[in-house]
């Protein structure tokens, strides 16, 4: 069978790679053509577009890059018509992928969406597009299936792929990680400023200003290879590239930009404080459109504040240092967070998300 996958971000590349491996176990002759990254490329097939050329963060940034985005739409449409896949698998990246769902469906292609758009946060009207153009929607957060049911759509809850990804990856002993990255024996605090250049430039300076208050700790940034090393070079901080999980396993606490990284940090049992900052115009537009109590996946899944969130104007070096001090020095606070992490893990369900997702794809192909 021929599969066309579209992932537009680093997390989508990771989840897409595991899904491709699961598909291959069901269909050893599978042919893949995809938008994604190095992890999907390592599985096999043809990488058409790298996600580093696709990730535009925020409303203002999207408007500024409309010409490039339009070119990508046009190119992708030609790709689908030329390749004629047996199924199109859209992985997150909703602004782009929902439009491609419509185009693919209208041209007789089967469409599966893996990792739902956050229509429970904003743009609930997207359910009309999903009902009309998506053959199957696979969700990975426990509350999403019930949400879709209330809107009259049957989604498939497959579980969160991170559970599988963390289980399968090779664990690096802390002493080996420290030695290979030329780090000292000081306790490590992980700095996860995001995966896009735009957000790193806004978030990392605040995190580094807070780090100055803790000379007894070493702060280490999780870098991504899709971002130029020069983005990190203005800061006096060691950077380890594509070793986020090894870094977290070696850390006593973490400062984390909102996103999948907050869930990764929780699943690796590292107490964290979450911080985020947007372009000011994007922030105010978002405030009018998005109505959520929380932005971190940990708090959203638990429906309460498990980890502290510092957003926009609250995201200052002073506030961040105060929150981090509480994580490092208050043992009861640390124990409370870890206990909540354990409950969150139970809510996520069992491992095997990628296998269940691959089974849904197989069902669609058989219909």
């Amino acid at each position: 069978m021929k599969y066309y996958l579209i992932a537009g971000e680093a997390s989508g590349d990771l989840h897409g790679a595991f899904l491709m491996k699961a598909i291959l176990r069901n269909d050893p002759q599978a042919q893949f053509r995809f938008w994604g990254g190095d992890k999907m490329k390592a599985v096999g097939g043809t990488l058409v577009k790298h996600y580093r050329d696709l990730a535009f963060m925020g409303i203002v940034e999207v408007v500024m890059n409309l010409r490039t985005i339009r070119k990508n739409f046009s190119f992708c449409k030609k790709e689908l018509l030329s390749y004629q896949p047996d199924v199109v698998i859209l992985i997150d990246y909703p602004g782009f992928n929902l439009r491609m769902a419509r185009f693919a469906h209208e041209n007789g292609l089967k469409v599966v969406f893996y990792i739902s758009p956050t229509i429970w946060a904003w743009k609930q009207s997207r359910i009309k597009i999903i009902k009309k153009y998506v053959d199957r929607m696979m969700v990975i957060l426990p509350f999403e299936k019930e949400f879709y049911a209330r809107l009259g759509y049957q989604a498939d809850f497959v579980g969160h792929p991170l559970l599988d990804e963390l289980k399968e990856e090779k664990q690096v002993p802390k002493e080996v990680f420290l030695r290979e990255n030329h780090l000292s024996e000081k306790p490590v605090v992980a700095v996860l400023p995001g995966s896009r250049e735009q957000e790193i430039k806004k978030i990392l300076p605040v995190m580094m200003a807070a780090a100055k208050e803790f000379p007894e700790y070493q702060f280490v940034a999780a870098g991504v290879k899709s971002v130029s090393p020069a983005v990190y070079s203005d800061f006096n901080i060691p950077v380890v590239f594509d070793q986020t999980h090894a870094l977290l396993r070696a850390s006593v606490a973490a400062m984390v930009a909102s996103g999948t990284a907050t869930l990764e940090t929780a699943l690796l049992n590292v107490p964290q404080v979450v911080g985020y900052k947007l372009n000011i115009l994007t922030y105010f537009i978002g405030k009018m459109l998005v109505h959520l109590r929380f932005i971190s996946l940990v708090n959203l899944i638990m429906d309460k504040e498990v980890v502290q969130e510092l957003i926009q104007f609250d995201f200052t070096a002073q506030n961040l240092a105060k929150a981090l001090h509480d994580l490092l020095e208050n043992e009861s606070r640390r124990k409370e967070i870890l206990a909540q992490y354990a409950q969150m893990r139970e809510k996520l369900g069992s491992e095997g998300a990628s296998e269940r997702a691959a089974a849904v794809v197989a069902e669609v192909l058989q219909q």
Side-chain angles (χ1 to χ4, degrees), residues 116-348:
S116 169
T118 55
I119 64 171
W120 36 266
W122 75 314
K123 290 190 176 180
Q124 190 167 317
S125 61
R126 283 176 164 175
I127 187 62
K128 298 176 183 177
I129 299 172
I130 293 168
K131 284 181 176 180
K132 194 170 183 180
Y133 303 117
V134 176
D135 294 297
R136 297 284 283 272
M137 171 65 72
M138 297 183 285
V139 300
I140 64 173
L141 298 174
F143 58 82
E144 290 179 314
K145 183 177 177 66
E146 182 181 345
F147 175 83
Y148 270 104
R150 291 199 300 268
L151 298 179
Y153 185 93
Q154 184 177 343
D156 296 274
F157 174 58
V158 296
H160 207 291
L162 266 177
L163 296 174
D164 303 312
E165 292 153 11
L166 290 172
K167 180 182 178 181
E168 289 191 22
E169 72 181 6
K170 182 180 179 181
Q171 295 189 27
V172 179
K174 178 180 176 180
E175 60 273 14
V176 174
F177 171 78
L178 294 176
R179 183 176 67 250
E180 290 184 346
N181 290 285
H182 310 290
L183 301 172
S184 74
E185 294 299 320
K186 284 184 178 181
V188 176
V189 175
V191 179
L192 279 63
S195 60
R196 304 181 186 94
E197 182 173 332
Q198 291 166 317
E199 62 187 351
I200 293 169
K201 287 180 176 180
K202 289 185 181 297
I203 292 169
L204 187 55
V206 182
M207 290 181 168
M208 290 311 303
K212 293 178 181 178
E213 302 295 320
F214 302 89
E216 65 273 35
Y217 294 87
Q218 60 179 328
F219 289 75
V220 182
V224 289
K225 288 182 179 177
S226 59
V227 173
S228 169
V231 174
Y232 304 95
S233 63
D234 291 338
F235 307 96
N236 185 25
I237 184 174
V239 183
V240 296
F241 288 91
D242 291 346
Q243 301 179 69
T244 301
H245 294 166
L247 169 59
L248 286 168
R249 287 189 171 97
S251 300
V252 295
M255 297 187 289
V256 187
S258 180
T260 304
T262 62
L263 183 58
E264 292 174 291
T265 304
L267 289 173
L268 290 170
N269 286 322
V270 182
Q272 64 183 298
V273 55
V274 176
Y276 208 73
K277 190 174 186 179
L278 289 161
N279 172 288
I280 190 66
L281 181 57
T282 299
Y283 171 74
F284 280 117
I285 294 173
K287 276 287 270 189
M288 292 186 289
L289 299 175
V290 181
H291 303 286
L292 284 177
R293 291 174 62 200
F294 308 110
I295 67 163
S296 69
L297 283 175
V298 179
N299 292 345
L300 284 168
I301 292 168
M302 295 299 290
D303 196 27
K304 62 181 178 181
E305 186 180 78
V306 174
V307 298
Q308 188 172 354
E309 299 181 352
L310 300 172
I311 311 303
Q312 204 66 18
F313 304 112
D314 291 330
F315 184 55
T316 66
Q318 183 178 9
N319 288 344
L320 194 54
K322 182 179 178 181
L324 186 57
H325 184 274
D326 196 34
L327 291 181
L328 294 171
E329 307 299 332
N330 187 338
E331 190 60 32
S332 63
R333 172 65 175 148
R334 292 177 62 85
K335 289 181 178 178
E336 177 188 359
I337 290 174
L338 295 179
Q340 293 295 318
Y341 282 175
Q343 292 183 27
M344 181 205 70
R345 191 181 185 103
E346 290 182 11
K347 283 178 173 282
L348 287 177

Side-chain angles (χ1 to χ4, degrees), residues 19-192:
L19 176 59
M20 289 164 67
K21 291 176 185 177
I23 289 173
L24 280 169
R25 287 190 281 272
N26 293 335
D27 179 9
Q29 303 304 315
Q31 299 176 46
F32 298 119
R33 193 169 178 86
F34 54 89
W35 298 38
D38 298 337
K39 291 180 172 60
M40 294 172 74
K41 184 178 180 180
V43 178
T46 302
L47 174 61
V48 178
K49 285 269 188 181
H50 200 288
Y51 68 78
R52 64 171 166 255
D53 301 321
L54 307 173
F56 302 109
M57 181 192 72
I59 297 168
V60 175
E61 291 78 8
V62 167
V63 171
M64 291 173 62
N65 289 280
L66 275 177
R67 186 176 180 182
T68 299
I69 294 170
R70 288 194 184 105
K71 285 183 178 179
N72 286 336
F73 277 128
S74 178
F75 176 75
C76 191
K77 289 175 180 179
K78 291 176 182 177
E79 275 277 303
L80 290 177
L81 293 177
S82 173
Y83 188 58
Q84 285 294 306
D86 295 291
V87 63
V88 179
I89 303 173
L90 306 170
I91 305 172
D92 201 1
Y93 197 47
F96 188 91
N97 275 339
L98 284 174
R99 293 192 183 188
M100 296 319 302
R102 175 173 182 169
F103 178 82
H105 179 87
E106 289 180 342
N107 283 276
L109 301 175
K110 294 178 179 179
V111 178
V112 175
F113 213 110
Y114 182 40
I115 306 176
S116 169
T118 55
I119 64 171
W120 36 266
W122 75 314
K123 290 190 176 180
Q124 190 167 317
S125 61
R126 283 176 164 175
I127 187 62
K128 298 176 183 177
I129 299 172
I130 293 168
K131 284 181 176 180
K132 194 170 183 180
Y133 303 117
V134 176
D135 294 297
R136 297 284 283 272
M137 171 65 72
M138 297 183 285
V139 300
I140 64 173
L141 298 174
F143 58 82
E144 290 179 314
K145 183 177 177 66
E146 182 181 345
F147 175 83
Y148 270 104
R150 291 199 300 268
L151 298 179
Y153 185 93
Q154 184 177 343
D156 296 274
F157 174 58
V158 296
H160 207 291
L162 266 177
L163 296 174
D164 303 312
E165 292 153 11
L166 290 172
K167 180 182 178 181
E168 289 191 22
E169 72 181 6
K170 182 180 179 181
Q171 295 189 27
V172 179
K174 178 180 176 180
E175 60 273 14
V176 174
F177 171 78
L178 294 176
R179 183 176 67 250
E180 290 184 346
N181 290 285
H182 310 290
L183 301 172
S184 74
E185 294 299 320
K186 284 184 178 181
V188 176
V189 175
V191 179
L192 279 63

